[in-house]
Amino acid sequence: MAKVVDITDRLDFDGNPYIRVKDVEVEVNADAATMLKVMGVLSRDDNMGTKEVLDLYGLMFSRGERKKIDAMGLSFKDFTKLVYTAIGLVNGEEDSQGEQ
Protein backbone atom coordinates (compact mmCIF):
# COMPACT_ATOMS: atom_id res chain seq x y z
CA MET A 1 0.00 0.00 0.00
CA ALA A 2 1.22 3.52 -0.82
CA LYS A 3 2.18 5.84 1.97
CA VAL A 4 -0.46 8.46 2.89
CA VAL A 5 0.43 11.64 4.76
CA ASP A 6 -2.52 13.60 6.14
CA ILE A 7 -1.66 17.30 6.47
CA THR A 8 -5.19 18.51 7.11
CA ASP A 9 -4.43 19.71 10.64
CA ARG A 10 -1.48 21.77 9.33
CA LEU A 11 -3.55 23.73 6.80
CA ASP A 12 -5.47 26.95 7.26
CA PHE A 13 -9.04 26.79 5.97
CA ASP A 14 -10.14 30.22 7.21
CA GLY A 15 -10.86 31.49 3.70
CA ASN A 16 -9.95 34.77 2.11
CA PRO A 17 -8.94 37.79 4.19
CA TYR A 18 -10.86 41.07 4.11
CA ILE A 19 -9.74 44.68 4.18
CA ARG A 20 -11.99 47.31 5.73
CA VAL A 21 -12.04 50.86 4.38
CA LYS A 22 -14.43 53.02 6.39
CA ASP A 23 -17.67 50.99 6.44
CA VAL A 24 -16.82 48.82 3.42
CA GLU A 25 -15.20 45.39 3.62
CA VAL A 26 -13.56 43.97 0.51
CA GLU A 27 -12.49 40.37 0.09
CA VAL A 28 -8.97 39.63 -1.16
CA ASN A 29 -8.45 36.57 -3.38
CA ALA A 30 -5.79 34.55 -1.56
CA ASP A 31 -5.92 31.21 -3.37
CA ALA A 32 -2.63 29.68 -4.48
CA ALA A 33 -3.22 30.08 -8.23
CA THR A 34 -3.93 33.81 -7.83
CA MET A 35 -0.95 34.33 -5.56
CA LEU A 36 1.40 32.60 -8.00
CA LYS A 37 0.24 35.08 -10.64
CA VAL A 38 0.72 37.95 -8.18
CA MET A 39 4.24 36.74 -7.43
CA GLY A 40 4.92 36.66 -11.16
CA VAL A 41 3.88 40.30 -11.50
CA LEU A 42 5.94 41.29 -8.47
CA SER A 43 9.05 39.47 -9.74
CA ARG A 44 9.04 41.25 -13.13
CA ASP A 45 10.56 44.46 -11.86
CA ASP A 46 11.35 46.17 -8.57
CA ASN A 47 9.92 49.41 -9.94
CA MET A 48 6.15 48.94 -9.82
CA GLY A 49 4.28 51.16 -12.26
CA THR A 50 0.63 51.86 -12.90
CA LYS A 51 0.23 48.83 -15.16
CA GLU A 52 1.57 46.44 -12.52
CA VAL A 53 -0.64 47.93 -9.80
CA LEU A 54 -3.69 47.53 -12.05
CA ASP A 55 -2.66 43.96 -12.92
CA LEU A 56 -2.45 43.11 -9.22
CA TYR A 57 -5.79 44.82 -8.56
CA GLY A 58 -7.46 42.70 -11.23
CA LEU A 59 -5.95 39.51 -9.83
CA MET A 60 -6.56 40.08 -6.14
CA PHE A 61 -10.11 41.47 -6.20
CA SER A 62 -13.14 39.93 -7.89
CA ARG A 63 -15.35 42.00 -10.18
CA GLY A 64 -17.85 42.60 -7.36
CA GLU A 65 -15.14 43.68 -4.94
CA ARG A 66 -13.62 45.99 -7.58
CA LYS A 67 -17.03 47.66 -7.99
CA LYS A 68 -17.08 48.37 -4.24
CA ILE A 69 -13.55 49.77 -4.37
CA ASP A 70 -14.23 51.88 -7.45
CA ALA A 71 -17.30 53.36 -5.76
CA MET A 72 -15.09 54.63 -2.91
CA GLY A 73 -13.35 57.09 -5.23
CA LEU A 74 -9.93 56.56 -3.65
CA SER A 75 -6.96 58.70 -4.64
CA PHE A 76 -4.23 56.84 -6.51
CA LYS A 77 -2.05 56.96 -3.39
CA ASP A 78 -4.78 55.37 -1.27
CA PHE A 79 -5.64 52.90 -4.03
CA THR A 80 -2.00 51.79 -4.16
CA LYS A 81 -1.96 51.39 -0.35
CA LEU A 82 -5.04 49.16 -0.64
CA VAL A 83 -3.34 46.93 -3.21
CA TYR A 84 -0.12 46.68 -1.17
CA THR A 85 -2.12 45.94 1.98
CA ALA A 86 -3.82 43.08 0.11
CA ILE A 87 -0.43 41.71 -0.93
CA GLY A 88 0.76 41.86 2.68
CA LEU A 89 -2.32 40.04 3.92
CA VAL A 90 -1.97 37.11 1.55
CA ASN A 91 1.77 36.90 2.17
CA GLY A 92 1.10 36.40 5.87
CA GLU A 93 2.08 39.89 7.01
CA GLU A 94 -0.80 40.16 9.47
CA ASP A 95 0.14 43.65 10.62
CA SER A 96 0.38 45.08 7.11
CA GLN A 97 -0.69 48.72 7.05
CA GLY A 98 -0.48 49.23 3.30
CA GLU A 99 3.11 50.34 3.25
CA GLN A 100 5.25 49.64 0.23
Side-chain angles (χ1 to χ4, degrees):
M1 181 173 176
K3 183 176 181 177
V4 175
V5 178
D6 185 352
I7 63 167
T8 305
D9 60 337
R10 293 187 246 165
L11 302 179
D12 181 11
F13 294 102
D14 289 340
N16 289 327
Y18 286 80
I19 297 173
R20 178 175 293 146
V21 179
K22 294 187 178 185
D23 295 333
V24 179
E25 287 189 355
V26 291
E27 182 177 15
V28 180
N29 293 333
D31 60 275
T34 298
M35 291 321 302
L36 288 171
K37 292 174 189 175
V38 167
M39 290 167 52
V41 171
L42 293 172
S43 70
R44 284 187 215 154
D45 191 359
D46 289 337
N47 193 8
M48 294 282 289
T50 304
K51 182 188 181 322
E52 289 79 15
V53 172
L54 288 173
D55 288 346
L56 293 170
Y57 177 60
L59 288 169
M60 300 182 72
F61 299 99
S62 70
R63 179 177 290 137
E65 299 305 300
R66 290 193 307 264
K67 285 182 181 183
K68 287 189 220 177
I69 294 166
D70 292 348
M72 290 182 214
L74 299 173
S75 68
F76 186 71
K77 179 182 173 184
D78 290 342
F79 176 81
T80 303
K81 283 182 183 180
L82 176 76
V83 172
Y84 278 99
T85 298
I87 293 168
L89 276 174
V90 296
N91 281 335
E93 300 168 16
E94 299 290 329
D95 295 330
S96 178
Q97 297 295 314
E99 299 299 322
Q100 296 185 28

mmCIF file of all heavy atoms in Angstrom, residues 18-51:
data_model
loop_
_atom_site.group_PDB
_atom_site.id
_atom_site.type_symbol
_atom_site.label_atom_id
_atom_site.label_comp_id
_atom_site.label_asym_id
_atom_site.label_seq_id
_atom_site.Cartn_x
_atom_site.Cartn_y
_atom_site.Cartn_z
ATOM 1 N N TYR A 18 -10.115 39.873 4.492
ATOM 2 C CA TYR A 18 -10.862 41.068 4.114
ATOM 3 C C TYR A 18 -10.091 42.300 4.552
ATOM 4 O O TYR A 18 -9.367 42.271 5.553
ATOM 5 C CB TYR A 18 -12.235 41.094 4.789
ATOM 6 C CG TYR A 18 -13.219 40.136 4.190
ATOM 7 C CD1 TYR A 18 -13.196 38.785 4.509
ATOM 8 C CD2 TYR A 18 -14.183 40.584 3.293
ATOM 9 C CE1 TYR A 18 -14.102 37.900 3.944
ATOM 10 C CE2 TYR A 18 -15.102 39.709 2.732
ATOM 11 C CZ TYR A 18 -15.049 38.370 3.056
ATOM 12 O OH TYR A 18 -15.943 37.495 2.502
ATOM 13 N N ILE A 19 -10.285 43.370 3.813
ATOM 14 C CA ILE A 19 -9.744 44.677 4.177
ATOM 15 C C ILE A 19 -10.946 45.602 4.381
ATOM 16 O O ILE A 19 -11.858 45.620 3.565
ATOM 17 C CB ILE A 19 -8.837 45.247 3.066
ATOM 18 C CG1 ILE A 19 -7.620 44.349 2.856
ATOM 19 C CG2 ILE A 19 -8.415 46.689 3.400
ATOM 20 C CD1 ILE A 19 -6.779 44.745 1.664
ATOM 21 N N ARG A 20 -10.908 46.360 5.465
ATOM 22 C CA ARG A 20 -11.991 47.307 5.734
ATOM 23 C C ARG A 20 -11.496 48.721 5.441
ATOM 24 O O ARG A 20 -10.442 49.134 5.908
ATOM 25 C CB ARG A 20 -12.448 47.233 7.182
ATOM 26 C CG ARG A 20 -13.550 48.259 7.487
ATOM 27 C CD ARG A 20 -14.108 48.154 8.871
ATOM 28 N NE ARG A 20 -14.812 46.882 8.970
ATOM 29 C CZ ARG A 20 -14.871 46.142 10.071
ATOM 30 N NH1 ARG A 20 -14.267 46.538 11.168
ATOM 31 N NH2 ARG A 20 -15.527 45.016 10.096
ATOM 32 N N VAL A 21 -12.282 49.439 4.658
ATOM 33 C CA VAL A 21 -12.044 50.858 4.385
ATOM 34 C C VAL A 21 -13.331 51.567 4.756
ATOM 35 O O VAL A 21 -14.364 51.360 4.114
ATOM 36 C CB VAL A 21 -11.700 51.109 2.899
ATOM 37 C CG1 VAL A 21 -11.485 52.592 2.652
ATOM 38 C CG2 VAL A 21 -10.478 50.293 2.473
ATOM 39 N N LYS A 22 -13.259 52.375 5.806
ATOM 40 C CA LYS A 22 -14.435 53.018 6.387
ATOM 41 C C LYS A 22 -15.462 51.941 6.733
ATOM 42 O O LYS A 22 -15.169 51.061 7.519
ATOM 43 C CB LYS A 22 -14.994 54.095 5.462
ATOM 44 C CG LYS A 22 -14.055 55.266 5.279
ATOM 45 C CD LYS A 22 -14.706 56.376 4.512
ATOM 46 C CE LYS A 22 -13.725 57.537 4.396
ATOM 47 N NZ LYS A 22 -14.332 58.682 3.758
ATOM 48 N N ASP A 23 -16.635 51.971 6.137
ATOM 49 C CA ASP A 23 -17.673 50.988 6.443
ATOM 50 C C ASP A 23 -17.758 49.864 5.405
ATOM 51 O O ASP A 23 -18.707 49.090 5.417
ATOM 52 C CB ASP A 23 -19.039 51.673 6.531
ATOM 53 C CG ASP A 23 -19.105 52.655 7.694
ATOM 54 O OD1 ASP A 23 -18.375 52.450 8.675
ATOM 55 O OD2 ASP A 23 -19.879 53.619 7.615
ATOM 56 N N VAL A 24 -16.783 49.793 4.512
ATOM 57 C CA VAL A 24 -16.821 48.820 3.424
ATOM 58 C C VAL A 24 -15.745 47.762 3.638
ATOM 59 O O VAL A 24 -14.583 48.082 3.882
ATOM 60 C CB VAL A 24 -16.597 49.525 2.052
ATOM 61 C CG1 VAL A 24 -16.606 48.520 0.923
ATOM 62 C CG2 VAL A 24 -17.637 50.605 1.834
ATOM 63 N N GLU A 25 -16.159 46.496 3.557
ATOM 64 C CA GLU A 25 -15.203 45.392 3.615
ATOM 65 C C GLU A 25 -15.066 44.794 2.225
ATOM 66 O O GLU A 25 -16.068 44.536 1.558
ATOM 67 C CB GLU A 25 -15.661 44.314 4.594
ATOM 68 C CG GLU A 25 -15.518 44.720 6.032
ATOM 69 C CD GLU A 25 -15.762 43.568 6.991
ATOM 70 O OE1 GLU A 25 -16.132 42.461 6.551
ATOM 71 O OE2 GLU A 25 -15.584 43.787 8.196
ATOM 72 N N VAL A 26 -13.814 44.584 1.802
ATOM 73 C CA VAL A 26 -13.564 43.968 0.506
ATOM 74 C C VAL A 26 -12.744 42.699 0.703
ATOM 75 O O VAL A 26 -11.808 42.663 1.502
ATOM 76 C CB VAL A 26 -12.867 44.930 -0.479
ATOM 77 C CG1 VAL A 26 -13.800 46.042 -0.907
ATOM 78 C CG2 VAL A 26 -11.604 45.506 0.092
ATOM 79 N N GLU A 27 -13.142 41.664 -0.003
ATOM 80 C CA GLU A 27 -12.486 40.369 0.091
ATOM 81 C C GLU A 27 -11.296 40.323 -0.855
ATOM 82 O O GLU A 27 -11.374 40.769 -1.996
ATOM 83 C CB GLU A 27 -13.477 39.268 -0.271
ATOM 84 C CG GLU A 27 -12.912 37.872 -0.154
ATOM 85 C CD GLU A 27 -13.950 36.797 -0.448
ATOM 86 O OE1 GLU A 27 -15.019 37.131 -1.003
ATOM 87 O OE2 GLU A 27 -13.672 35.643 -0.138
ATOM 88 N N VAL A 28 -10.194 39.762 -0.374
ATOM 89 C CA VAL A 28 -8.973 39.626 -1.161
ATOM 90 C C VAL A 28 -8.831 38.173 -1.587
ATOM 91 O O VAL A 28 -8.869 37.269 -0.744
ATOM 92 C CB VAL A 28 -7.740 40.046 -0.333
ATOM 93 C CG1 VAL A 28 -6.467 39.905 -1.153
ATOM 94 C CG2 VAL A 28 -7.895 41.453 0.208
ATOM 95 N N ASN A 29 -8.675 37.929 -2.883
ATOM 96 C CA ASN A 29 -8.449 36.567 -3.377
ATOM 97 C C ASN A 29 -7.079 36.106 -2.898
ATOM 98 O O ASN A 29 -6.065 36.717 -3.232
ATOM 99 C CB ASN A 29 -8.481 36.524 -4.907
ATOM 100 C CG ASN A 29 -9.842 36.821 -5.471
ATOM 101 O OD1 ASN A 29 -10.845 36.585 -4.820
ATOM 102 N ND2 ASN A 29 -9.874 37.349 -6.671
ATOM 103 N N ALA A 30 -7.047 35.030 -2.132
ATOM 104 C CA ALA A 30 -5.791 34.550 -1.561
ATOM 105 C C ALA A 30 -5.491 33.107 -1.950
ATOM 106 O O ALA A 30 -4.631 32.479 -1.355
ATOM 107 C CB ALA A 30 -5.840 34.683 -0.040
ATOM 108 N N ASP A 31 -6.181 32.599 -2.977
ATOM 109 C CA ASP A 31 -5.923 31.212 -3.369
ATOM 110 C C ASP A 31 -4.540 31.104 -4.010
ATOM 111 O O ASP A 31 -3.974 32.094 -4.485
ATOM 112 C CB ASP A 31 -7.015 30.721 -4.329
ATOM 113 C CG ASP A 31 -7.079 31.541 -5.594
ATOM 114 O OD1 ASP A 31 -7.752 32.590 -5.584
ATOM 115 O OD2 ASP A 31 -6.442 31.138 -6.582
ATOM 116 N N ALA A 32 -3.997 29.907 -4.009
ATOM 117 C CA ALA A 32 -2.627 29.680 -4.480
ATOM 118 C C ALA A 32 -2.435 30.083 -5.936
ATOM 119 O O ALA A 32 -1.422 30.704 -6.281
ATOM 120 C CB ALA A 32 -2.250 28.213 -4.285
ATOM 121 N N ALA A 33 -3.376 29.756 -6.804
ATOM 122 C CA ALA A 33 -3.224 30.085 -8.226
ATOM 123 C C ALA A 33 -3.136 31.596 -8.425
ATOM 124 O O ALA A 33 -2.284 32.084 -9.185
ATOM 125 C CB ALA A 33 -4.397 29.515 -9.021
ATOM 126 N N THR A 34 -3.971 32.349 -7.732
ATOM 127 C CA THR A 34 -3.927 33.809 -7.834
ATOM 128 C C THR A 34 -2.609 34.337 -7.303
ATOM 129 O O THR A 34 -1.981 35.203 -7.916
ATOM 130 C CB THR A 34 -5.104 34.443 -7.056
ATOM 131 O OG1 THR A 34 -6.333 34.015 -7.641
ATOM 132 C CG2 THR A 34 -5.034 35.956 -7.069
ATOM 133 N N MET A 35 -2.175 33.816 -6.169
ATOM 134 C CA MET A 35 -0.953 34.328 -5.564
ATOM 135 C C MET A 35 0.281 34.004 -6.394
ATOM 136 O O MET A 35 1.227 34.788 -6.424
ATOM 137 C CB MET A 35 -0.817 33.812 -4.130
ATOM 138 C CG MET A 35 -1.865 34.419 -3.211
ATOM 139 S SD MET A 35 -2.203 36.183 -3.516
ATOM 140 C CE MET A 35 -0.610 36.914 -3.314
ATOM 141 N N LEU A 36 0.285 32.888 -7.101
ATOM 142 C CA LEU A 36 1.403 32.600 -7.995
ATOM 143 C C LEU A 36 1.456 33.632 -9.119
ATOM 144 O O LEU A 36 2.536 34.087 -9.517
ATOM 145 C CB LEU A 36 1.292 31.186 -8.555
ATOM 146 C CG LEU A 36 1.590 30.076 -7.546
ATOM 147 C CD1 LEU A 36 1.228 28.718 -8.130
ATOM 148 C CD2 LEU A 36 3.057 30.106 -7.143
ATOM 149 N N LYS A 37 0.297 34.033 -9.615
ATOM 150 C CA LYS A 37 0.238 35.083 -10.640
ATOM 151 C C LYS A 37 0.716 36.413 -10.063
ATOM 152 O O LYS A 37 1.450 37.159 -10.720
ATOM 153 C CB LYS A 37 -1.176 35.215 -11.193
ATOM 154 C CG LYS A 37 -1.621 34.022 -11.997
ATOM 155 C CD LYS A 37 -3.085 34.155 -12.404
ATOM 156 C CE LYS A 37 -3.596 32.872 -13.021
ATOM 157 N NZ LYS A 37 -5.039 32.944 -13.304
ATOM 158 N N VAL A 38 0.300 36.721 -8.840
ATOM 159 C CA VAL A 38 0.725 37.950 -8.178
ATOM 160 C C VAL A 38 2.245 37.953 -8.022
ATOM 161 O O VAL A 38 2.913 38.954 -8.313
ATOM 162 C CB VAL A 38 0.023 38.123 -6.808
ATOM 163 C CG1 VAL A 38 0.677 39.211 -5.970
ATOM 164 C CG2 VAL A 38 -1.455 38.413 -7.014
ATOM 165 N N MET A 39 2.795 36.839 -7.590
ATOM 166 C CA MET A 39 4.242 36.737 -7.426
ATOM 167 C C MET A 39 4.953 36.938 -8.759
ATOM 168 O O MET A 39 6.030 37.545 -8.815
ATOM 169 C CB MET A 39 4.609 35.394 -6.794
ATOM 170 C CG MET A 39 4.183 35.304 -5.344
ATOM 171 S SD MET A 39 4.252 33.645 -4.626
ATOM 172 C CE MET A 39 5.883 33.112 -5.004
ATOM 173 N N GLY A 40 4.351 36.451 -9.836
ATOM 174 C CA GLY A 40 4.919 36.657 -11.160
ATOM 175 C C GLY A 40 4.972 38.128 -11.527
ATOM 176 O O GLY A 40 5.976 38.609 -12.059
ATOM 177 N N VAL A 41 3.899 38.861 -11.232
ATOM 178 C CA VAL A 41 3.877 40.304 -11.503
ATOM 179 C C VAL A 41 4.923 41.005 -10.651
ATOM 180 O O VAL A 41 5.678 41.863 -11.133
ATOM 181 C CB VAL A 41 2.474 40.903 -11.245
ATOM 182 C CG1 VAL A 41 2.505 42.422 -11.308
ATOM 183 C CG2 VAL A 41 1.460 40.344 -12.222
ATOM 184 N N LEU A 42 5.010 40.636 -9.376
ATOM 185 C CA LEU A 42 5.943 41.287 -8.469
ATOM 186 C C LEU A 42 7.398 40.999 -8.830
ATOM 187 O O LEU A 42 8.276 41.831 -8.592
ATOM 188 C CB LEU A 42 5.682 40.855 -7.027
ATOM 189 C CG LEU A 42 4.358 41.317 -6.423
ATOM 190 C CD1 LEU A 42 4.141 40.667 -5.063
ATOM 191 C CD2 LEU A 42 4.308 42.827 -6.322
ATOM 192 N N SER A 43 7.667 39.841 -9.415
ATOM 193 C CA SER A 43 9.047 39.475 -9.736
ATOM 194 C C SER A 43 9.541 40.085 -11.043
ATOM 195 O O SER A 43 10.728 40.054 -11.321
ATOM 196 C CB SER A 43 9.182 37.956 -9.797
ATOM 197 O OG SER A 43 8.495 37.450 -10.937
ATOM 198 N N ARG A 44 8.642 40.668 -11.839
ATOM 199 C CA ARG A 44 9.040 41.249 -13.126
ATOM 200 C C ARG A 44 10.026 42.390 -12.965
ATOM 201 O O ARG A 44 10.955 42.538 -13.725
ATOM 202 C CB ARG A 44 7.819 41.777 -13.880
ATOM 203 C CG ARG A 44 6.985 40.725 -14.503
ATOM 204 C CD ARG A 44 5.928 41.398 -15.361
ATOM 205 N NE ARG A 44 4.714 40.610 -15.291
ATOM 206 C CZ ARG A 44 3.506 41.086 -15.464
ATOM 207 N NH1 ARG A 44 3.327 42.369 -15.730
ATOM 208 N NH2 ARG A 44 2.461 40.305 -15.385
ATOM 209 N N ASP A 45 9.769 43.238 -11.989
ATOM 210 C CA ASP A 45 10.564 44.458 -11.856
ATOM 211 C C ASP A 45 10.376 45.018 -10.456
ATOM 212 O O ASP A 45 9.277 44.990 -9.908
ATOM 213 C CB ASP A 45 10.093 45.476 -12.893
ATOM 214 C CG ASP A 45 11.027 46.669 -13.015
ATOM 215 O OD1 ASP A 45 12.034 46.732 -12.291
ATOM 216 O OD2 ASP A 45 10.744 47.541 -13.848
ATOM 217 N N ASP A 46 11.448 45.553 -9.894
ATOM 218 C CA ASP A 46 11.353 46.166 -8.570
ATOM 219 C C ASP A 46 10.625 47.503 -8.617
ATOM 220 O O ASP A 46 10.144 47.995 -7.613
ATOM 221 C CB ASP A 46 12.744 46.384 -7.972
ATOM 222 C CG ASP A 46 13.406 45.076 -7.572
ATOM 223 O OD1 ASP A 46 12.679 44.091 -7.343
ATOM 224 O OD2 ASP A 46 14.647 45.042 -7.484
ATOM 225 N N ASN A 47 10.551 48.103 -9.794
ATOM 226 C CA ASN A 47 9.923 49.405 -9.944
ATOM 227 C C ASN A 47 8.489 49.223 -10.431
ATOM 228 O O ASN A 47 8.240 49.153 -11.626
ATOM 229 C CB ASN A 47 10.730 50.253 -10.927
ATOM 230 C CG ASN A 47 10.335 51.699 -10.909
ATOM 231 O OD1 ASN A 47 9.562 52.122 -10.059
ATOM 232 N ND2 ASN A 47 10.860 52.460 -11.842
ATOM 233 N N MET A 48 7.552 49.165 -9.488
ATOM 234 C CA MET A 48 6.150 48.943 -9.821
ATOM 235 C C MET A 48 5.554 50.207 -10.434
ATOM 236 O O MET A 48 5.629 51.281 -9.854
ATOM 237 C CB MET A 48 5.353 48.581 -8.572
ATOM 238 C CG MET A 48 5.721 47.263 -7.960
ATOM 239 S SD MET A 48 5.009 45.900 -8.862
ATOM 240 C CE MET A 48 3.320 46.109 -8.401
ATOM 241 N N GLY A 49 4.940 50.048 -11.601
ATOM 242 C CA GLY A 49 4.279 51.160 -12.260
ATOM 243 C C GLY A 49 2.777 50.989 -12.213
ATOM 244 O O GLY A 49 2.238 50.047 -11.609
ATOM 245 N N THR A 50 2.087 51.883 -12.869
ATOM 246 C CA THR A 50 0.631 51.865 -12.898
ATOM 247 C C THR A 50 0.093 50.567 -13.461
ATOM 248 O O THR A 50 -0.860 49.992 -12.923
ATOM 249 C CB THR A 50 0.105 53.054 -13.732
ATOM 250 O OG1 THR A 50 0.639 54.260 -13.181
ATOM 251 C CG2 THR A 50 -1.405 53.123 -13.711
ATOM 252 N N LYS A 51 0.696 50.064 -14.537
ATOM 253 C CA LYS A 51 0.227 48.832 -15.162
ATOM 254 C C LYS A 51 0.301 47.655 -14.193
ATOM 255 O O LYS A 51 -0.633 46.872 -14.072
ATOM 256 C CB LYS A 51 1.020 48.510 -16.424
ATOM 257 C CG LYS A 51 0.515 47.242 -17.115
ATOM 258 C CD LYS A 51 1.411 46.827 -18.247
ATOM 259 C CE LYS A 51 0.941 45.598 -18.964
ATOM 260 N NZ LYS A 51 0.356 44.535 -18.188
#
